[in-house]
Amino acid sequence: MTTPAPLAGHLGNLTPQEQSTLDEFKQVCREQSLYREADPPGKPSHDDATLLRFLRARKFHVQDAFQQFKDTVEWRQEVELDTVFENIEAEEFEETRRLYPQWTGRRDRRGSPVYLYKVQQLDAKTMNTYEQNWKKSANSATAGGASSTPPKMLRLFCLYEMLTHFVMPMCTALPDRPYPATPVTQSCNIVDISGVGLRQFWNLRSHMQDASTLATAHYPEVLDKIFIIGAPSFFPIVWSWIKAWFDPITVSKIFIVSAADTHATLAEHIDSANIPSQYGGSLKFAFGNPPRLDPAIVNMLDWTSPPKIGEEPTFPLGPAKWVDRNEKEMEALFIGKVGGKPRREVVAVMRRLEESTSSAPAAPTLNVPEQTLMNDETNKQALEEKARGSASMTTSTSGGVAISS
């Protein structure tokens, strides 16, 4: 299996022009008091990897990226998202997690976390129960600042906070990646729509549209690839209005895979050991379960008293973040509330990123040939030709969606 090409526009693989644009973006944000440089021994208000997500989303156009970044900073303050994340009830966090893509505990060949989303689970009864529960909930996740953002969406953004503040930093710390100096800032998603009828798609349209619209606005560039599997024969009709919810960059990352090609396509990007068994791999993971942690993650962490799946350690339910323990280590701090009482539970300790990656091979330099930077885009186009054709779709005899160019 070939090594994935370096990602263009990411740290460790910036062209001189992109580095200059990043510096300019910082300066613009700094002048508007939206960015603060590191003040040793402190940290900058936002790391370079985060700023680059906004630049990539706006094709490195500084003013466009600045406007989106500004809107996001103001939105976070408006809804008091940091407070919401710190105080959401663990059970409510878990109830929300069951309705959205879930981390399997594994990574793809780039080292990005692999998420699974089984849409059939979101039936009318489940959605109605969720609606009733959040409406009557008295927890602080529905008590953010006055905002036009629906309170139930704040629960969703707690999941994004978990992704960006806990899962991705942990994946970044693992040195067994092709480009360990490039922070992990994107996820790989398997979306299983098998068994979903047209009526269910229609009933879920507002739920999915609201989530995708707000996520695109405030969490840009956190998706690397989305593999849609198990598509029914009518999916081309549904796809025509689903893709309108996403920006063109996101649409280019979505691949519709036929049933016959499911494992082969996934295996190009994910080791078979990390592909759920229902898709031809060997990972025993079912949607709704806690993550089955990558052995590399288990071995990297110094555990305290974690919950277990059999003999395997895993994480408790609810939100978490990494906090400094000392100059060389960080703690996995699980927060939120349990039974109305604040929780501050340290589950594991991880060496700081610079410590864990100091002996790793160097990532590509900034001054790489233009052809090298195009490798990843070339690979993406090849995958599109194999897994998804923008021109037409036909139903395969196996019940999936076969792609024709």
Side-chain angles (χ1 to χ4, degrees):
M1 190 63 63
T2 58
T3 301
L7 287 166
H10 288 244
L11 284 179
N13 196 32
L14 298 178
T15 65
Q17 179 59 48
E18 289 170 339
Q19 181 63 54
S20 177
T21 302
L22 174 59
D23 294 339
E24 180 185 352
F25 183 45
K26 287 182 180 179
Q27 180 62 28
V28 171
C29 293
R30 187 184 304 110
E31 291 172 352
Q32 298 298 318
S33 301
L34 295 177
Y35 173 76
R36 184 186 66 257
E37 293 279 11
D39 183 15
K43 299 178 180 179
S45 58
H46 302 82
D47 59 31
D48 286 359
T50 298
L51 298 177
L52 281 168
R53 288 199 289 106
F54 287 85
L55 282 172
R56 290 197 304 273
R58 297 304 169 186
K59 300 182 178 179
F60 280 82
H61 188 284
V62 171
Q63 288 303 318
D64 289 350
F66 168 75
Q67 187 59 56
Q68 184 174 6
F69 183 69
K70 177 176 180 289
D71 291 344
T72 295
V73 171
E74 292 176 347
W75 169 79
R76 292 179 65 92
Q77 293 172 344
E78 177 185 281
V79 301
E80 301 176 4
L81 188 56
D82 291 340
T83 300
V84 171
F85 185 58
E86 289 273 350
N87 293 282
I88 186 173
E89 279 280 348
E91 182 51 43
E92 292 176 6
F93 181 96
E94 175 63 14
E95 182 182 36
T96 305
R97 187 186 73 88
R98 290 194 288 264
L99 302 183
Y100 292 98
Q102 300 168 5
W103 183 39
T104 62
R106 301 305 174 97
R107 301 170 294 150
D108 67 8
R109 296 185 188 279
R110 287 193 184 282
S112 301
V114 175
Y115 278 70
L116 174 63
Y117 194 19
K118 192 165 179 59
V119 179
Q120 187 182 27
Q121 305 293 325
L122 279 66
D123 56 25
K125 180 179 179 181
T126 299
M127 297 307 298
N128 288 337
T129 300
Y130 182 69
E131 291 282 334
Q132 294 171 6
N133 287 348
W134 78 257
K135 286 179 180 179
K136 66 183 180 182
S137 172
N139 94 83
S140 60
T142 62
S147 168
S148 59
T149 301
K152 65 178 179 181
M153 287 292 101
L154 293 182
R155 287 188 177 187
L156 164 62
F157 294 122
C158 286
L159 303 184
Y160 274 96
E161 291 294 288
M162 185 76 166
L163 168 66
T164 57
H165 288 79
F166 188 76
V167 176
M168 286 179 175
M170 181 166 51
C171 292
T172 295
L174 289 162
D176 62 341
R177 301 181 287 122
Y179 308 99
T182 299
V184 174
T185 59
Q186 295 180 315
S187 62
C188 176
N189 291 256
I190 302 170
V191 179
D192 184 347
I193 57 175
S194 59
V196 180
L198 186 57
R199 179 185 295 275
Q200 186 174 358
F201 271 117
W202 182 254
N203 291 339
L204 290 171
R205 70 191 186 283
S206 61
H207 171 79
M208 296 174 126
Q209 185 172 14
D210 289 346
S212 62
T213 299
L214 287 168
T216 299
H218 301 307
Y219 295 89
E221 283 292 295
V222 296
L223 296 174
D224 181 16
K225 293 180 177 66
I226 303 174
F227 297 101
I228 297 180
I229 61 179
S233 59
F234 60 80
F235 188 70
I237 300 173
V238 177
W239 176 241
S240 66
W241 43 268
I242 287 181
K243 67 181 180 181
W245 303 341
F246 303 99
D247 61 88
I249 293 178
T250 301
V251 171
S252 72
K253 299 176 180 181
I254 300 175
F255 306 98
I256 304 170
V257 185
S258 69
D261 292 335
T262 295
H263 180 261
T265 300
L266 293 178
E268 289 184 18
H269 305 274
I270 309 169
D271 286 339
S272 189
N274 296 328
I275 297 174
S277 57
Q278 58 267 44
Y279 310 120
S282 58
L283 177 64
K284 302 299 182 182
F285 177 84
F287 186 77
N289 287 354
R292 297 290 302 275
L293 296 179
D294 188 322
I297 293 175
V298 173
N299 294 333
M300 175 183 68
L301 301 178
D302 292 328
W303 297 88
T304 53
S305 300
K308 292 186 176 183
I309 301 176
E311 296 299 318
E312 302 173 4
T314 189
F315 293 120
L317 303 181
K321 62 182 181 179
W322 293 101
V323 298
D324 292 338
R325 186 184 195 190
N326 52 47
E327 293 183 355
K328 295 184 177 182
E329 297 175 317
M330 296 186 295
E331 296 177 334
L333 180 66
F334 278 74
I335 54 179
K337 294 181 178 179
V338 177
K341 297 180 179 180
R343 174 180 64 171
R344 295 295 182 270
E345 179 184 358
V346 175
V347 175
V349 176
M350 176 177 72
R351 293 185 69 80
R352 292 183 63 83
L353 307 188
E354 58 268 27
E355 296 294 328
S356 62
T357 61
S358 60
S359 60
T365 62
L366 300 182
N367 298 314
V368 293
E370 188 67 23
Q371 182 60 43
T372 300
L373 295 176
M374 292 300 293
N375 284 345
D376 192 59
E377 184 62 29
T378 302
N379 290 344
K380 181 195 296 184
Q381 291 174 357
L383 180 59
E384 284 180 330
E385 292 174 2
K386 178 177 181 180
R388 180 177 70 89
S390 59
S392 62
M393 292 186 291
T394 59
T395 305
S396 69
T397 56
S398 57
V401 175
I403 309 303
S404 58
S405 56

